[in-house]
Structures are given as structure tokens and as C-alpha cells.
Amino acid sequence: MEKYNIYLNDFSSINKLINSYSSIFLLLDQNTEKYCLPILQKYLDVKSINLIKINSGEENKNIDTCCHIWKQLSELKADRKSLMINLGGGVIGDMGGFCASTFKRGIDFINIPTTLLSQVDASIGGKLGIDFDNLKNQIGLFNDPKAIFISNEFFKTLDSRQILSGYAEIIKHGLILDSDYWQLIKKTDLSNMNNLDTLMDLVKRSVELKHQVVLQDPLEKNIRKSLNFGHTIGHAIETFSLMNDTVPLLHGESIAIGLICESYLSYVSNNLSKNELNEITNFINSIYKKYNLQEINYNKIIDLMSNDKKNEDNNINFTCINKIGSFVINQNFSNHEIIDSLHYYNSF
Ligand SMILES: NC(=O)c1ccc[n+]([C@@H]2O[C@H](COP(=O)([O-])OP(=O)(O)OC[C@H]3O[C@@H](n4cnc5c(N)ncnc54)[C@H](O)[C@@H]3O)[C@@H](O)[C@H]2O)c1
């Protein structure tokens, strides 16, 4: 894995970088075309860019959309020296990076993440892929972008659900890695998110934390597993919601539930104190809408967890915390304990 630069509110080097390629392809969806392309265009000075447009949404993060992207690259004569620019949220970043990395055995790509979630999490660390057979991110690979350009100008058009979705990953960063950051996160006034600089301060810290972790362990053999806190149960709930709800949960909304459940598991097994468990649960419950998790579906959620990529030796693999700011990886729990954690979420 190569080192790459992450630029915060700084597009000054983008033209030099992208003009070194034979042709440029920009992947976007209907929302990022409308809201983000005009912002990016203010900074671009290039002869021509080929736009590849896809439909937004997790339900389109699949092989059919990849075929459309690969076909466009072929028809527009992309070659090994072409560049893909991913302009959008985590769906565009994961899928655009995957298509670029597999087209003609790999062309370069850069990420311009436009949601809070993709700025603090999805765009960093080279995990690329698509959903398959109702399972999240089932097909994919690791490959880093050539650069990432993050700008708070993109926040202006994000609605509060999208902001909160990204906030769940910010919360996770505090819980696993940095107790001072957790204090700052708790103090941040989320009703005043019009203050783009406040949000950008959090983005900066989260980017630093995630980048430090993935540089040490790019292929998730060890410390990178810390970033999975909240994601074992969270991913299963996200998949369940995608399959069953008319308005499915967003990624971060599912992770927020996972953070509560996995904090509970951390309490029962890893010495997380009752006080800290309460602190985490109360804070998350105070900012996220309650999800109606019915007991009748608990086993379906456990079934989904048994397909999780993180599992080893047929055991469902969890990351826990033993106190706020400190994690422990490779934890296993019985189905009974997992069900207890779902009950715990439901008890509020
Ligand atoms: N690769 C990783 O390490 C990693 C980490 C976390 C999440 N993910 C993946 O990221 C995806 C979720 O990403 P997401 O939350 O960004 O969702 P998303 O990509 O679906 O974007 C959310 C919505 O916001 C719209 N949008 C994007 N930017 C906008 C803007 N500035 N203004 C208005 N609308 C805008 C998009 O069109 C979309 O409708 C999931 O597929 C998840 O699996 C990947």
C-alpha cells in the first residue's frame, strides 16, 4: 500500500495531479451531480472530463451498477493511464474504487468524499467493494486512492439524517481510541451544524485517528479491527433494515444501535464500567431516533451476523472496549449474550 495525501479544505494541488493522466472519469450520482459537481468545478482546470452517472443509494451498490461503470469506461476508451474521480458518499467511493481497481487490472482513483460519513470513514483506508446476495460489502478488495480531497463546502446540502449517520463513526472513533475526543463529541452542539468549522474540526480529528490506524495495519490483521466496534451487530441490523423496511436505516444509524449493543457486550465481558455503559447509551439515545427492533427478528439478525466477513473459525468476531478510549479485539459471545444485548437496546 502506498502513502497518499489527504487534503482538508485544500484543492490547490488537484489540477496538477489529475492532469498527469491520459483521461479522467468522474463517477457521480444524481445528488452529487446536482450539489457537489458545481462546487468541484470551481477548482478544476482540465481540458475534458467524462462523467459516469449512477443512481444513488445502497440498493445500487451492486454488480449491475459495476457493469454499467465498466461498460462506460470501455466505451469511452479508458486506458491503464486513466484516472477515476469518485465524487460522492461511501457508496460511490466503495464502488468507484472497486471498479477502478479491477478495470484493466487497475487504474488509479482519487476520492472526493461528500458526506460526513465518507469524509471521516469510508474514503480512508482502501476498503473497496459492493454488496452481494443480500450481504454488505461481500465482494471487494483493498486498494488505496492516489489522494483524498475533503471539503466542508459539501456539508451545506446534507440533511440532518446524513449528518447524524456520519456522526456515528465519529462517536466510534472517540470510544475506541481517544477519551478526550469523546468528551468533545459529547459537548458538540448538533443543533448548530450550520457551523461548518465545528464539523470540520471533528472531521480533522477523525481523519487523523482513522488514518493512523489503517497505516499501521492496512489489511486488518490486528489494530484495524478496532474500527469494527459497533459494526458486527450494526451491519446485521443495516442489512436486515435494507431487506425489510420501506425507509431503511442509514449506515451510521445502524452503527449507532450496534455501538449500544456492543458497549453492553463490553460491559458484560470486558470490564467496561456500568457508569461508562450508561454514559454511552444515554448519549447515543439522546441523538438518534429509536429503531423498532422486534424480538421476533432477533434470530434473523444473528443469522446475518454469522455471514460477517470478520468471522473466524465459525465464531462471530467482535471488537469491544474495556473503557472509553481503549479497545480489545477478537471477542466472541454466545447467541444468548448477543440476544441480551439486543434486549438491552430495546429496554430504553
Ligand atoms: N470503505 C469503508 O471503509 C467504509 C466505511 C464506512 C462505510 N462504508 C460504506 O459507505 C456507504 C455509506 O456511505 P454514505 O453514508 O456516504 O452514503 P451514500 O453514499 O449512500 O450517500 C448518502 C446520500 O447522500 C447523497 N449525497 C452525497 N453527498 C451529498 C451532498 N454533499 N449533498 C447532498 N446529498 C449528498 C448521496 O447521493 C446519497 O443519496 C455504505 O455502503 C457503507 O458500507 C464504507
Side-chain angles (χ1 to χ4, degrees):
M1 298 259 173
E2 279 174 52
K3 273 202 162 178
Y4 56 90
N5 288 323
I6 303 178
Y7 300 96
L8 295 171
N9 282 342
D10 173 16
F11 283 104
S12 59
S13 57
I14 194 165
N15 290 311
K16 185 163 181 248
L17 175 66
I18 67 180
N19 279 315
S20 62
Y21 288 88
S22 63
S23 53
I24 304 164
F25 295 83
L26 192 145
L27 184 68
L28 34 59
D29 62 34
Q30 70 276 21
N31 298 320
T32 59
E33 179 178 38
K34 184 170 171 193
Y35 301 120
C36 306
L37 186 59
I39 295 173
L40 180 62
Q41 274 170 330
K42 291 190 297 182
Y43 300 100
L44 290 186
D45 181 13
V46 282
K47 273 191 248 95
S48 77
I49 289 199
N50 303 288
L51 300 186
I52 302 182
K53 196 166 145 186
I54 61 171
N55 291 325
S56 73
E58 185 72 30
E59 65 277 19
N60 296 305
K61 189 178 162 185
N62 57 33
I63 193 71
D64 294 337
T65 313
C66 290
C67 290
H68 167 73
I69 297 169
W70 287 317
K71 205 155 188 300
Q72 291 278 297
L73 288 170
S74 274
E75 283 174 9
L76 294 164
K77 309 255 177 298
D79 61 29
R80 296 283 293 273
K81 290 197 178 139
S82 298
L83 175 75
M84 175 90 101
I85 302 177
N86 298 318
L87 180 69
V91 167
I92 290 264
D94 282 12
M95 190 159 47
F98 174 69
C99 287
S101 303
T102 44
F103 185 76
K104 298 197 187 220
R105 298 210 179 87
I107 63 171
D108 287 352
F109 66 98
I110 65 172
N111 287 337
I112 308 186
T114 59
T115 58
L116 181 61
L117 186 126
S118 58
Q119 294 198 352
V120 297
D121 193 6
S123 65
I124 308 157
K127 275 191 185 177
L128 311 171
I130 52 168
D131 304 337
F132 180 70
D133 207 15
N134 284 326
L135 293 169
K136 281 213 33 104
N137 303 327
Q138 196 70 354
I139 309 290
L141 48 83
F142 286 95
N143 192 20
D144 281 328
K146 287 290 152 194
I148 305 177
F149 294 87
I150 291 175
S151 164
N152 62 1
E153 285 186 67
F154 298 123
F155 295 153
K156 289 178 199 152
T157 51
L158 288 176
D159 63 27
S160 58
R161 256 190 99 192
Q162 290 295 343
I163 296 281
L164 274 179
S165 179
Y167 211 67
E169 301 288 0
I170 290 178
I171 292 171
K172 178 194 75 181
H173 290 148
L175 290 178
I176 54 173
L177 295 166
D178 184 346
S179 57
D180 291 342
Y181 188 36
W182 163 251
Q183 294 306 330
L184 177 70
I185 291 163
K186 280 200 307 173
K187 272 194 273 176
T188 303
D189 179 6
L190 278 176
S191 60
N192 186 21
M193 275 307 154
N194 290 336
N195 184 348
L196 301 184
D197 291 337
T198 309
L199 212 46
M200 205 56 187
D201 289 342
L202 298 175
V203 170
K204 193 167 173 238
R205 182 65 187 137
S206 271
V207 166
E208 269 166 14
L209 287 169
K210 175 150 188 195
H211 201 42
Q212 277 165 15
V213 168
V214 298
L215 282 177
Q216 287 175 67
D217 178 22
L219 300 182
E220 199 172 292
K221 304 281 182 220
N222 195 311
I223 175 179
R224 187 172 181 165
K225 290 185 182 180
S226 64
L227 298 166
N228 294 333
F229 181 52
H231 282 61
T232 304
I233 294 180
H235 267 162
I237 290 177
E238 181 182 8
T239 307
F240 176 82
S241 173
L242 271 172
M243 286 157 67
N244 294 286
D245 297 336
T246 355
V247 182
L249 287 170
L250 299 178
H251 177 76
E253 291 171 333
S254 319
I255 297 311
I257 301 170
L259 289 174
I260 291 181
C261 296
E262 295 180 24
S263 294
Y264 175 83
L265 292 174
S266 302
Y267 161 69
V268 293
S269 65
N270 280 291
N271 307 323
L272 180 70
S273 72
K274 185 81 173 97
N275 278 349
E276 288 200 327
L277 173 66
N278 290 340
E279 189 181 326
I280 296 165
T281 308
N282 293 340
F283 178 66
I284 295 179
N285 276 335
S286 73
I287 58 173
Y288 292 91
K289 221 172 119 202
K290 189 84 189 158
Y291 180 62
N292 183 13
L293 191 61
Q294 293 182 333
E295 204 171 328
I296 195 173
N297 295 318
Y298 284 0
N299 283 328
K300 290 187 193 148
I301 288 167
I302 295 195
D303 276 353
L304 287 166
M305 278 181 231
S306 61
N307 276 309
D308 196 293
K309 295 179 299 305
K310 302 183 285 291
N311 296 347
E312 286 169 17
D313 303 327
N314 283 328
N315 288 319
I316 302 176
N317 192 288
F318 287 86
T319 295
C320 287
I321 51 176
N322 41 31
K323 61 179 183 184
I324 291 173
S326 166
F327 64 87
V328 42
I329 59 172
N330 296 334
Q331 301 296 296
N332 301 134
F333 295 95
S334 65
N335 285 2
H336 183 74
E337 288 169 315
I338 298 171
I339 284 177
D340 276 353
S341 79
L342 300 173
H343 271 309
Y344 174 73
Y345 173 77
N346 265 341
S347 67
F348 293 92

